Amino acid sequence: MALRADSNGIDASLYRKSGPWCTVLADVSLGTTAAQEAADQLPEKVARILTSQQADPRDIQAVTQALRPAPGLRAPVARFVAVRDGQVELDEVIPGLSVDSAEVDCGQFPNFVALARARGGAFSYLVAEVGRDGGEVHLYNTAAPHRLDSGGIVGDPEDTHRARKVPGAYDQPKAQAAADEMSRRNAEEVAELITQMATDNYVRLIVLSGDVKSRETVAGMLPVALRPLVEVIDAHTRTGGADPRQVDARIAELVESVNEASVKELQQKLAERDANGRAQLAVGIDEVVGALQLAQADTVLVGRYQDEHTLRALSSEPWLACEDSDDHAELVLGSWPAPEVLLRATALTDATIRYVPDEVLPDGAGIAALLRWPRVS
C-alpha cells in the first residue's frame, strides 16, 4: 500500500477486521552476545505475557514464530508484529528504534501507536540514476530499511553514444543526430517512469544523479508540479565514478531536510490558524474528538498526551467518543488509552497524525488538529 506524505502509513482496512488482535514491538538487534541471548529468550517472554492477557493460543504461536532477529542491520533494530485469527497481518522491521522492553498488547482492535510514533511522518521518495542510454528509478520510504520498488529504461549504449569522427564517413552528422534522438527518447521514458512512480506513491522528494546532460534533460521533461521536489546530486554511480557512501550520505541529508521543512510548515500553519480565530483549528481533546467525529480533521498533531487519558472506541462512525459522553452508547466497544483510540479514528477518517514536540502546540494543549473546513460558530 502506498504511503501518503507525512502519513502514519497505517492501513485503515486493518482496523475494520474483527479482533481480537495481538501486537508486539520488541528489540531484535544482534551483534553482541547479550543481544543474541535476548533474541533467543524473546519468543518465550512474549508468549508468557500474551498468555496472561488470555490471547488465543493460535495467535501466540503466530507471534512467537514471527519474532525473528534482524541480522545485517546496525543496532538498535525493532520489529513490530500484528496477529489476528492465527495469521500475521503485519510484520515490519524498524531500524534505528530503541526498545528497552517489549510492548505487548491484546485487544479488540490493533494497537499501532508504537508503529505510528516510530514512523513519525514517514514519506516516500525516489532516487533516479540517469544516462544517455536510459536510467534506473528506485522507490524508498523513510519507514522502511530497504528499497520498495525499482524500474528502469535500458537503451543500447552503442546506439546512444556520440558518434566518433571516422575518416570518409559522410553520414557522421546523421549518426550523431540519430544518437541524440535516441538519447532524448530514453530521457523522455525515464521522465515518464519517474512521473508515474511519484504520482502512485505520493513522493516528497526526487533525487536525480547521472551525467550532467541527461539529468538536466530528464528534469526538464518532468511535470511542473513535480519540479519543486527535484534535488540533483553531482554524481554518476551508474558508471562507477562516484563513491556510493558519499551519495548515500547526501541523500540522507536531503531526506532530513524534507523532515525539517515538514515540521516548520506545520508550525507555520498552526500559528496562522491560531492567530485567525481558530476557525480551522481544533485545540484540546474535546475539540479534536469532535472534529474526528465529523471527519473534519485533516492533520492531528499529538504532543504530550499520555496513556492515563482514555476515550471510548465505537464500532462504526463516528468511531470514537469522550468518556463523559452519552452519545452513541449502542456503538461503544469499550474504553482504551486515548492514543490508541485517536490513532484508530484518524486512520478510519483518512486523516494524518503527527507526533510533535509540545512547544509546537498552542496553549500547552497537548493535542490539536488542522481542519479540512472551518468550524461553524
Side-chain angles (χ1 to χ4, degrees):
M1 178 182 176
L3 306 186
R4 289 190 306 159
D6 299 327
S7 170
N8 52 60
I10 303 301
D11 185 349
S13 67
L14 296 176
Y15 281 117
R16 298 181 186 277
K17 296 182 178 181
S18 61
W21 284 78
C22 295
T23 57
V24 178
L25 178 70
D27 181 80
V28 291
S29 305
L30 291 177
T32 66
T33 301
Q36 183 64 62
E37 291 177 353
D40 293 340
Q41 297 169 4
L42 179 62
E44 182 179 351
K45 178 181 177 181
V46 170
R48 288 199 301 269
I49 297 174
L50 287 174
T51 299
S52 70
Q53 296 180 355
Q54 299 182 329
D56 189 307
R58 297 177 304 157
D59 292 341
I60 296 174
Q61 182 179 10
V63 167
T64 55
Q65 289 178 347
L67 288 175
R68 306 177 304 279
L73 294 176
R74 178 183 296 181
V77 183
R79 184 182 290 276
F80 182 89
V81 177
V83 168
R84 167 187 166 276
D85 199 23
Q87 300 293 322
V88 176
E89 297 279 354
L90 198 61
D91 181 1
E92 291 200 13
V93 173
I94 310 172
L97 180 63
S98 179
V99 180
D100 294 330
S101 59
E103 299 182 21
V104 184
D105 188 66
C106 183
Q108 285 298 107
F109 58 86
N111 181 2
F112 290 141
V113 173
L115 181 60
R117 285 187 179 276
R119 283 172 167 170
F123 64 90
S124 296
Y125 62 97
L126 298 178
V127 177
E129 303 171 87
V130 299
R132 289 179 58 81
D133 60 336
E136 297 175 349
V137 185
H138 308 294
L139 172 67
Y140 297 88
N141 188 277
T142 56
H146 307 294
R147 73 177 57 163
L148 303 180
D149 195 10
S150 292
I153 304 298
V154 181
D156 187 343
E158 293 302 318
D159 290 339
T160 56
H161 73 60
R162 289 192 172 275
R164 297 184 177 90
K165 292 182 179 180
V166 180
Y170 297 102
D171 62 345
Q172 193 273 337
K174 292 183 179 180
Q176 177 68 64
D180 288 345
E181 175 61 17
M182 182 65 72
S183 178
R184 188 197 65 79
R185 290 180 182 177
N186 288 338
E188 187 175 48
E189 290 186 29
V190 172
E192 290 175 354
L193 177 60
I194 291 173
T195 301
Q196 187 64 53
M197 293 178 69
T199 303
D200 289 346
N201 296 282
Y202 307 98
V203 304
R204 286 286 301 273
L205 173 67
I206 300 171
V207 180
L208 281 182
S209 66
D211 74 69
V212 176
K213 180 63 175 177
S214 297
R215 67 194 186 213
E216 288 179 351
T217 303
V218 170
M221 290 179 170
L222 292 175
V224 174
L226 292 181
R227 292 178 190 174
L229 309 182
V230 175
E231 294 287 349
V232 176
I233 295 179
D234 188 15
H236 198 356
T237 55
R238 297 183 79 222
T239 61
D243 184 345
R245 291 172 297 181
Q246 292 183 358
V247 173
D248 289 345
R250 179 57 182 147
I251 292 173
E253 291 176 1
L254 293 172
V255 168
E256 182 56 31
S257 69
V258 173
N259 274 324
E260 292 175 355
S262 175
V263 174
K264 288 181 180 178
E265 182 181 356
L266 286 173
Q267 287 180 300
Q268 183 177 354
K269 287 182 178 180
L270 277 170
E272 290 173 352
R273 298 188 186 190
D274 192 28
N276 291 328
R278 295 186 176 180
Q280 286 189 270
L281 180 66
V283 179
I285 187 63
D286 290 342
E287 290 186 8
V288 172
V289 168
L292 285 169
Q293 287 180 327
L294 296 172
Q296 188 181 17
D298 181 58
T299 304
V300 177
L301 301 114
V302 180
R304 177 178 41 80
Y305 204 76
Q306 305 302 319
D307 288 357
E308 61 263 24
H309 301 278
T310 59
L311 292 170
R312 291 179 175 179
L314 308 182
S315 59
S316 61
E317 294 178 352
W319 301 117
L320 80 170
C322 292
E323 282 285 16
D324 57 359
S325 173
D326 294 328
D327 295 337
H328 314 292
E330 72 283 1
L331 301 178
V332 173
L333 293 173
S335 296
W336 279 272
E340 298 177 33
V341 180
L342 285 167
L343 178 59
R344 174 177 179 261
T346 300
L348 287 168
T349 56
D350 197 31
T352 296
I353 196 165
R354 292 296 303 270
Y355 299 94
V356 298
D358 292 340
E359 57 269 21
V360 172
L361 301 170
D363 302 339
I367 186 170
L370 301 173
L371 305 181
R372 291 178 170 133
W373 62 85
R375 289 184 297 165
V376 178
S377 300

